[in-house]
Amino acid sequence: MFVLVNLKTYPCDPVEVAEAVRDVDRETEATLSVAPQAAHIERVAETGVETWAQHVDPIAHGSNTGGTLAETVADAGAVGTLINHSERRRRLADIDGAVRAADRADLETVVCANNPAQIGAAAALGPDRVAVEPPELIGTGTPVSTADPDIVAEAVSAAASVDDEVSVLCGAGITDGEDVLAAADLGAEGVLLASGVAKADDPREALEALVEPL
């Protein structure tokens, strides 16, 4: 299982969380990674944890003030990037451009989408992974795998019908190991989560509980 912890802009210590992710990753067969804010990527990557960007723009080198360039986050130490998170939605053409930009910089990609139909469209763009995350469940502590398991199963089918090499992550409301197992049972190959770790009093303890059943 692949576990990607998105720190969003939560008021946590990104290095502390990164060290916890790194240490738990070394103790489990799952692959754990973390996506800090862009300004923290280099500091987080220096801990040795697998580091992802939260976003890249569909741009190249040039006049793009305020843009997030794929090559820049790669130079800072990121190995992958989220694209089209529910809190940073983009048009399909921009998602496609961001995937191409990430490919150009040798970054892995996870394209997020709300539902199985959007998952199919996202998979057609050739990312490494897609993540299904109904926005109404994000941050609620209610996992989509429990609230509406059909969405996860249908997302897995939708991605496979387009490109069976694109794996599916389950996002929204993931908080503990039972949620991870439920996602796996529905065909997901990983999870995308945020507040369950980033807002935890003890991030390492939260991560250990998350991977313990695996």
Coordinates of all heavy atoms in Angstrom, one line a residue, residues 26-99:
R26 N 10.2 3.0 7.5 CA 11.2 2.0 7.6 C 10.8 0.7 8.4 O 11.5 -0.3 8.4 CB 12.4 2.6 8.4 CG 13.1 3.7 7.5 CD 14.2 4.5 8.3 NE 14.9 5.4 7.5 CZ 15.7 6.4 8.0 NH1 15.9 6.4 9.3 NH2 16.3 7.2 7.1
E27 N 9.7 0.8 9.1 CA 9.2 -0.3 9.9 C 8.1 -1.1 9.3 O 7.6 -2.0 9.9 CB 8.7 0.3 11.3 CG 9.8 1.0 12.1 CD 9.2 1.8 13.2 OE1 8.0 1.8 13.4 OE2 10.0 2.4 14.0
T28 N 7.6 -0.7 8.1 CA 6.5 -1.4 7.5 C 6.8 -1.7 6.0 O 7.7 -1.1 5.4 CB 5.2 -0.5 7.6 OG1 4.1 -1.1 6.9 CG2 5.5 0.9 6.9
E29 N 6.0 -2.6 5.4 CA 6.2 -2.9 4.0 C 5.5 -1.9 3.2 O 5.7 -1.8 1.9 CB 5.7 -4.3 3.7 CG 6.5 -5.4 4.4 CD 6.1 -6.8 4.0 OE1 5.1 -6.9 3.2 OE2 6.7 -7.8 4.5
A30 N 4.6 -1.1 3.8 CA 3.9 0.0 3.0 C 4.9 1.1 2.6 O 6.0 1.2 3.3 CB 2.8 0.5 3.8
T31 N 4.6 1.8 1.6 CA 5.4 3.0 1.2 C 4.8 4.3 1.7 O 3.6 4.6 1.3 CB 5.6 3.1 -0.3 OG1 6.3 1.9 -0.7 CG2 6.4 4.3 -0.7
L32 N 5.4 5.0 2.6 CA 4.9 6.2 3.2 C 5.6 7.4 2.6 O 6.9 7.4 2.5 CB 5.0 6.2 4.7 CG 3.9 5.5 5.5 CD1 4.0 4.0 5.2 CD2 4.1 5.7 7.0
S33 N 4.9 8.5 2.4 CA 5.4 9.7 1.8 C 4.7 10.9 2.4 O 3.6 10.7 2.9 CB 5.4 9.7 0.3 OG 4.1 9.4 -0.2
V34 N 5.2 12.1 2.1 CA 4.6 13.3 2.7 C 4.7 14.4 1.7 O 5.6 14.5 0.9 CB 5.3 13.7 4.0 CG1 6.7 14.0 3.8 CG2 4.6 14.8 4.7
A35 N 3.6 15.2 1.7 CA 3.5 16.4 0.8 C 3.4 17.6 1.6 O 2.3 18.0 2.0 CB 2.3 16.2 -0.2
P36 N 4.5 18.3 1.8 CA 4.5 19.6 2.5 C 4.2 20.8 1.6 O 4.1 20.6 0.4 CB 5.9 19.7 3.0 CG 6.7 19.1 1.9 CD 5.9 18.0 1.4
Q37 N 4.1 21.9 2.2 CA 4.0 23.1 1.4 C 5.2 23.3 0.5 O 6.3 22.9 0.9 CB 3.8 24.4 2.3 CG 2.5 24.3 3.0 CD 2.3 25.5 4.0 OE1 2.5 26.7 3.5 NE2 2.1 25.3 5.2
A38 N 5.1 24.0 -0.6 CA 6.2 24.1 -1.5 C 7.5 24.7 -0.9 O 8.6 24.3 -1.1 CB 5.8 25.0 -2.7
A39 N 7.3 25.7 0.0 CA 8.4 26.3 0.7 C 9.2 25.4 1.6 O 10.3 25.7 2.0 CB 8.0 27.6 1.4
H40 N 8.5 24.3 2.0 CA 9.1 23.4 3.0 C 9.7 22.1 2.3 O 10.2 21.2 3.0 CB 8.1 22.9 4.0 CG 7.6 24.1 4.9 ND1 6.4 24.0 5.5 CD2 8.2 25.2 5.2 CE1 6.2 25.1 6.2 NE2 7.3 25.9 6.0
I41 N 9.6 22.0 1.0 CA 10.0 20.7 0.3 C 11.4 20.4 0.6 O 11.8 19.3 0.9 CB 9.7 20.8 -1.2 CG1 8.2 20.7 -1.5 CG2 10.4 19.7 -1.9 CD1 7.8 20.9 -2.9
E42 N 12.3 21.4 0.4 CA 13.7 21.1 0.6 C 14.1 20.6 2.0 O 14.8 19.6 2.2 CB 14.6 22.3 0.2 CG 16.1 22.0 0.2 CD 16.9 23.1 -0.5 OE1 16.3 24.1 -0.9 OE2 18.1 22.9 -0.6
R43 N 13.5 21.3 3.0 CA 13.7 20.9 4.4 C 13.2 19.5 4.7 O 13.8 18.7 5.4 CB 13.1 21.9 5.4 CG 13.7 23.3 5.4 CD 12.9 24.3 6.2 NE 12.6 23.8 7.5 CZ 11.5 24.1 8.2 NH1 10.6 25.0 7.7 NH2 11.3 23.7 9.4
V44 N 12.0 19.2 4.2 CA 11.4 17.9 4.4 C 12.2 16.8 3.7 O 12.5 15.8 4.2 CB 10.0 17.9 3.9 CG1 9.4 16.5 3.8 CG2 9.1 18.7 4.9
A45 N 12.6 17.1 2.4 CA 13.4 16.1 1.7 C 14.7 15.7 2.3 O 15.2 14.6 2.3 CB 13.6 16.6 0.2
E46 N 15.3 16.7 3.0 CA 16.6 16.5 3.7 C 16.5 15.5 4.8 O 17.5 14.9 5.3 CB 17.1 17.8 4.2 CG 17.7 18.7 3.1 CD 18.1 20.1 3.6 OE1 17.8 20.4 4.8 OE2 18.7 20.8 2.9
T47 N 15.3 15.2 5.3 CA 15.1 14.2 6.4 C 15.2 12.7 5.8 O 15.4 11.8 6.6 CB 13.7 14.3 7.0 OG1 12.7 13.9 6.1 CG2 13.4 15.7 7.5
G48 N 15.2 12.6 4.5 CA 15.3 11.3 3.9 C 13.9 10.7 3.6 O 13.9 9.6 3.0
V49 N 12.8 11.3 3.9 CA 11.5 10.8 3.6 C 11.2 11.0 2.1 O 11.7 11.9 1.5 CB 10.4 11.5 4.5 CG1 10.2 13.0 4.0 CG2 9.1 10.8 4.5
E50 N 10.4 10.2 1.6 CA 9.9 10.4 0.2 C 9.0 11.6 0.2 O 8.0 11.6 0.9 CB 9.1 9.1 -0.3 CG 8.6 9.3 -1.7 CD 8.0 8.1 -2.3 OE1 8.7 7.1 -2.4 OE2 6.8 8.1 -2.6
T51 N 9.3 12.6 -0.6 CA 8.7 13.9 -0.5 C 8.0 14.2 -1.8 O 8.5 14.0 -2.9 CB 9.7 15.0 -0.2 OG1 10.5 14.7 0.9 CG2 9.1 16.4 0.0
W52 N 6.7 14.7 -1.6 CA 5.9 15.1 -2.8 C 5.5 16.5 -2.7 O 5.5 17.1 -1.6 CB 4.6 14.2 -2.8 CG 4.8 12.8 -3.3 CD1 5.7 11.9 -2.8 CD2 4.2 12.2 -4.4 NE1 5.6 10.7 -3.5 CE2 4.7 10.9 -4.5 CE3 3.2 12.6 -5.3 CZ2 4.2 10.0 -5.5 CZ3 2.7 11.7 -6.3 CH2 3.3 10.4 -6.4
A53 N 5.2 17.1 -3.8 CA 4.7 18.5 -3.9 C 3.2 18.4 -3.8 O 2.6 17.3 -4.1 CB 5.1 19.2 -5.2
Q54 N 2.5 19.4 -3.3 CA 1.1 19.5 -3.3 C 0.5 19.9 -4.6 O -0.7 19.7 -4.8 CB 0.6 20.4 -2.2 CG 1.0 20.0 -0.8 CD 0.6 21.0 0.3 OE1 -0.2 21.9 0.0 NE2 1.0 20.8 1.5
H55 N 1.3 20.5 -5.5 CA 0.7 21.0 -6.7 C 1.9 21.4 -7.6 O 2.9 21.9 -7.2 CB -0.1 22.2 -6.4 CG -0.5 23.1 -7.6 ND1 -1.5 22.7 -8.4 CD2 0.0 24.3 -8.1 CE1 -1.7 23.7 -9.4 NE2 -0.7 24.6 -9.2
V56 N 1.7 21.3 -8.9 CA 2.6 22.0 -9.9 C 1.7 22.6 -11.0 O 0.5 22.1 -11.2 CB 3.6 21.0 -10.6 CG1 4.6 20.5 -9.6 CG2 3.0 19.9 -11.3
D57 N 2.1 23.6 -11.6 CA 1.4 24.3 -12.6 C 1.8 23.8 -14.0 O 2.9 23.3 -14.2 CB 1.6 25.8 -12.6 CG 0.9 26.4 -11.4 OD1 -0.3 26.3 -11.3 OD2 1.6 27.1 -10.6
P58 N 0.9 23.9 -15.0 CA 1.2 23.5 -16.4 C 2.0 24.6 -17.1 O 1.5 25.2 -18.1 CB -0.2 23.3 -17.0 CG -1.1 24.4 -16.3 CD -0.5 24.4 -14.9
I59 N 3.2 24.8 -16.6 CA 4.1 25.8 -17.1 C 5.5 25.3 -17.4 O 5.8 24.2 -16.9 CB 4.2 27.0 -16.2 CG1 4.7 26.6 -14.8 CG2 2.8 27.7 -16.1 CD1 4.9 27.7 -13.8
A60 N 6.2 26.0 -18.2 CA 7.7 25.8 -18.4 C 8.4 27.0 -17.8 O 7.9 27.9 -17.4 CB 7.9 25.5 -19.8
H61 N 9.8 26.9 -17.9 CA 10.6 28.1 -17.6 C 10.1 29.3 -18.3 O 9.9 29.2 -19.5 CB 12.0 27.8 -17.8 CG 12.7 26.8 -16.9 ND1 13.1 27.1 -15.6 CD2 13.0 25.5 -17.1 CE1 13.6 26.0 -15.1 NE2 13.6 25.0 -15.9
G62 N 10.0 30.4 -17.7 CA 9.6 31.6 -18.4 C 8.9 32.6 -17.5 O 9.2 32.7 -16.3
S63 N 8.1 33.4 -18.1 CA 7.4 34.5 -17.4 C 6.1 34.0 -16.7 O 5.0 34.1 -17.2 CB 7.0 35.6 -18.4 OG 8.2 36.1 -19.0
N64 N 6.3 33.4 -15.5 CA 5.2 32.8 -14.8 C 5.2 33.1 -13.3 O 5.3 32.3 -12.4 CB 5.2 31.3 -14.9 CG 5.2 30.8 -16.4 OD1 4.2 31.0 -17.1 ND2 6.3 30.2 -16.9
T65 N 5.2 34.4 -13.0 CA 5.3 34.9 -11.6 C 4.2 34.2 -10.8 O 3.1 34.2 -11.1 CB 5.1 36.4 -11.6 OG1 6.1 37.1 -12.4 CG2 5.2 36.9 -10.1
G66 N 4.7 33.7 -9.6 CA 3.8 33.0 -8.7 C 3.5 31.6 -9.0 O 2.8 30.9 -8.3
G67 N 4.0 31.1 -10.2 CA 3.7 29.7 -10.6 C 4.6 28.7 -9.8 O 5.6 29.1 -9.3
T68 N 4.1 27.5 -9.8 CA 4.9 26.4 -9.2 C 5.4 25.5 -10.4 O 4.7 24.8 -11.0 CB 4.1 25.5 -8.2 OG1 3.6 26.4 -7.2 CG2 4.9 24.5 -7.6
L69 N 6.7 25.6 -10.6 CA 7.4 24.9 -11.7 C 7.8 23.5 -11.3 O 8.4 23.3 -10.2 CB 8.6 25.7 -12.2 CG 9.4 25.2 -13.3 CD1 8.6 25.4 -14.6 CD2 10.7 26.0 -13.5
A70 N 7.5 22.6 -12.1 CA 7.8 21.2 -11.8 C 9.3 21.0 -11.6 O 9.7 20.3 -10.6 CB 7.3 20.3 -12.9
E71 N 10.1 21.6 -12.4 CA 11.5 21.4 -12.3 C 12.0 21.9 -10.9 O 13.0 21.4 -10.3 CB 12.3 22.1 -13.4 CG 12.2 21.3 -14.7 CD 11.0 21.6 -15.5 OE1 10.0 22.2 -15.0 OE2 10.9 21.1 -16.7
T72 N 11.4 23.0 -10.4 CA 11.8 23.6 -9.2 C 11.5 22.7 -8.0 O 12.4 22.5 -7.1 CB 11.1 25.0 -9.0 OG1 11.5 25.8 -10.1 CG2 11.6 25.6 -7.7
V73 N 10.3 22.1 -8.0 CA 10.0 21.2 -6.8 C 10.9 19.9 -6.9 O 11.3 19.4 -5.9 CB 8.5 20.9 -6.7 CG1 7.7 22.1 -6.5 CG2 8.0 20.1 -7.9
A74 N 11.2 19.5 -8.2 CA 12.1 18.3 -8.3 C 13.5 18.7 -7.8 O 14.1 17.9 -7.1 CB 12.1 17.9 -9.8
D75 N 14.0 19.9 -8.1 CA 15.3 20.3 -7.7 C 15.4 20.4 -6.1 O 16.4 20.2 -5.5 CB 15.7 21.6 -8.3 CG 16.0 21.6 -9.8 OD1 16.3 20.4 -10.2 OD2 16.1 22.6 -10.4
A76 N 14.2 20.7 -5.5 CA 14.1 20.9 -4.1 C 14.1 19.5 -3.4 O 14.3 19.4 -2.2 CB 12.9 21.7 -3.7
G77 N 13.9 18.5 -4.1 CA 13.9 17.1 -3.5 C 12.6 16.3 -3.7 O 12.5 15.2 -3.2
A78 N 11.6 16.9 -4.3 CA 10.3 16.2 -4.5 C 10.5 15.1 -5.5 O 11.2 15.2 -6.5 CB 9.2 17.1 -4.9
V79 N 9.8 14.0 -5.3 CA 9.8 12.9 -6.3 C 8.5 12.7 -7.0 O 8.3 12.0 -8.0 CB 10.2 11.5 -5.6 CG1 11.6 11.6 -5.0 CG2 9.1 11.1 -4.6
G80 N 7.5 13.5 -6.5 CA 6.1 13.4 -7.1 C 5.3 14.6 -6.8 O 5.7 15.4 -6.0
T81 N 4.1 14.6 -7.3 CA 3.2 15.8 -7.0 C 1.8 15.4 -7.1 O 1.4 14.5 -7.9 CB 3.5 16.9 -8.0 OG1 2.6 18.0 -7.6 CG2 3.2 16.6 -9.5
L82 N 1.0 16.0 -6.3 CA -0.5 15.9 -6.4 C -0.9 16.9 -7.5 O -0.2 17.9 -7.7 CB -1.2 16.3 -5.1 CG -1.0 15.4 -3.9 CD1 -1.6 16.1 -2.7 CD2 -1.8 14.1 -4.2
I83 N -2.0 16.6 -8.2 CA -2.5 17.4 -9.2 C -4.1 17.4 -9.0 O -4.6 16.4 -8.8 CB -2.1 17.0 -10.6 CG1 -0.6 17.1 -10.8 CG2 -2.9 17.8 -11.7 CD1 -0.1 16.5 -12.1
N84 N -4.7 18.6 -9.1 CA -6.1 18.7 -9.1 C -6.7 18.3 -7.8 O -7.8 17.7 -7.7 CB -6.7 17.9 -10.2 CG -8.2 18.3 -10.5 OD1 -8.5 19.5 -10.6 ND2 -9.1 17.4 -10.6
H85 N -6.1 18.5 -6.6 CA -6.7 18.2 -5.4 C -8.0 19.0 -5.3 O -8.2 20.0 -5.9 CB -5.8 18.6 -4.2 CG -6.2 18.2 -2.9 ND1 -7.1 18.9 -2.1 CD2 -5.9 17.1 -2.1 CE1 -7.4 18.3 -1.0 NE2 -6.7 17.2 -1.0
S86 N -9.0 18.5 -4.5 CA -10.3 19.1 -4.4 C -10.2 20.5 -3.9 O -11.2 21.3 -4.2 CB -11.2 18.3 -3.5 OG -10.7 18.3 -2.2
E87 N -9.1 20.9 -3.2 CA -9.0 22.3 -2.8 C -8.2 23.1 -3.8 O -7.9 24.3 -3.5 CB -8.3 22.3 -1.4 CG -9.1 21.6 -0.3 CD -8.4 21.1 0.9 OE1 -7.1 21.2 0.9 OE2 -9.0 20.5 1.8
R88 N -7.8 22.5 -4.9 CA -7.1 23.3 -5.9 C -7.5 22.7 -7.3 O -6.7 22.2 -8.1 CB -5.6 23.2 -5.7 CG -4.8 24.2 -6.4 CD -3.4 24.3 -6.0 NE -2.6 25.3 -6.7 CZ -2.5 26.6 -6.4 NH1 -3.3 27.0 -5.5 NH2 -1.8 27.4 -7.1
R89 N -8.8 22.8 -7.6 CA -9.3 22.2 -8.8 C -8.8 23.0 -10.1 O -8.6 24.2 -10.0 CB -10.8 22.3 -8.8 CG -11.5 21.3 -7.9 CD -11.3 19.9 -8.4 NE -11.9 18.9 -7.5 CZ -11.4 17.7 -7.3 NH1 -10.4 17.3 -8.0 NH2 -12.0 16.8 -6.5
R90 N -8.6 22.2 -11.1 CA -8.2 22.8 -12.4 C -9.0 22.2 -13.5 O -9.6 21.2 -13.4 CB -6.7 22.4 -12.6 CG -5.8 23.2 -11.7 CD -5.8 24.7 -11.9 NE -5.0 25.4 -11.0 CZ -5.4 26.0 -9.9 NH1 -6.6 25.9 -9.5 NH2 -4.5 26.7 -9.2
R91 N -9.0 23.0 -14.6 CA -9.7 22.5 -15.9 C -8.9 21.3 -16.4 O -7.7 21.2 -16.2 CB -9.8 23.6 -16.9 CG -10.6 24.8 -16.5 CD -10.5 25.9 -17.5 NE -9.1 26.3 -17.7 CZ -8.7 27.2 -18.6 NH1 -9.6 27.8 -19.4 NH2 -7.5 27.6 -18.7
L92 N -9.6 20.5 -17.2 CA -9.0 19.3 -17.7 C -7.8 19.6 -18.5 O -6.8 18.9 -18.4 CB -10.0 18.5 -18.6 CG -9.6 17.1 -19.0 CD1 -9.5 16.2 -17.8 CD2 -10.6 16.5 -20.0
A93 N -7.8 20.6 -19.3 CA -6.6 21.0 -20.1 C -5.4 21.3 -19.2 O -4.3 21.0 -19.5 CB -6.9 22.2 -21.0
D94 N -5.7 22.0 -18.1 CA -4.6 22.4 -17.2 C -4.1 21.1 -16.4 O -2.9 21.1 -16.1 CB -5.1 23.4 -16.2 CG -5.3 24.8 -16.8 OD1 -4.7 25.0 -17.8 OD2 -6.2 25.5 -16.3
I95 N -5.0 20.2 -16.1 CA -4.6 19.0 -15.5 C -3.6 18.2 -16.4 O -2.6 17.7 -16.0 CB -5.8 18.1 -15.1 CG1 -6.7 18.8 -14.1 CG2 -5.3 16.7 -14.5 CD1 -8.0 18.1 -13.9
D96 N -4.0 18.1 -17.7 CA -3.2 17.5 -18.7 C -1.8 18.1 -18.8 O -0.8 17.5 -18.8 CB -3.9 17.5 -20.0 CG -3.2 16.7 -21.1 OD1 -2.6 15.7 -20.8 OD2 -3.2 17.2 -22.3
G97 N -1.8 19.5 -18.8 CA -0.6 20.2 -18.9 C 0.3 20.0 -17.6 O 1.5 19.9 -17.7
A98 N -0.3 19.9 -16.5 CA 0.4 19.7 -15.2 C 1.0 18.3 -15.2 O 2.2 18.1 -14.8 CB -0.5 19.9 -14.0
V99 N 0.3 17.3 -15.7 CA 0.8 15.9 -15.8 C 2.0 15.9 -16.8 O 3.1 15.3 -16.5 CB -0.2 14.9 -16.3 CG1 0.4 13.5 -16.6 CG2 -1.3 14.8 -15.2

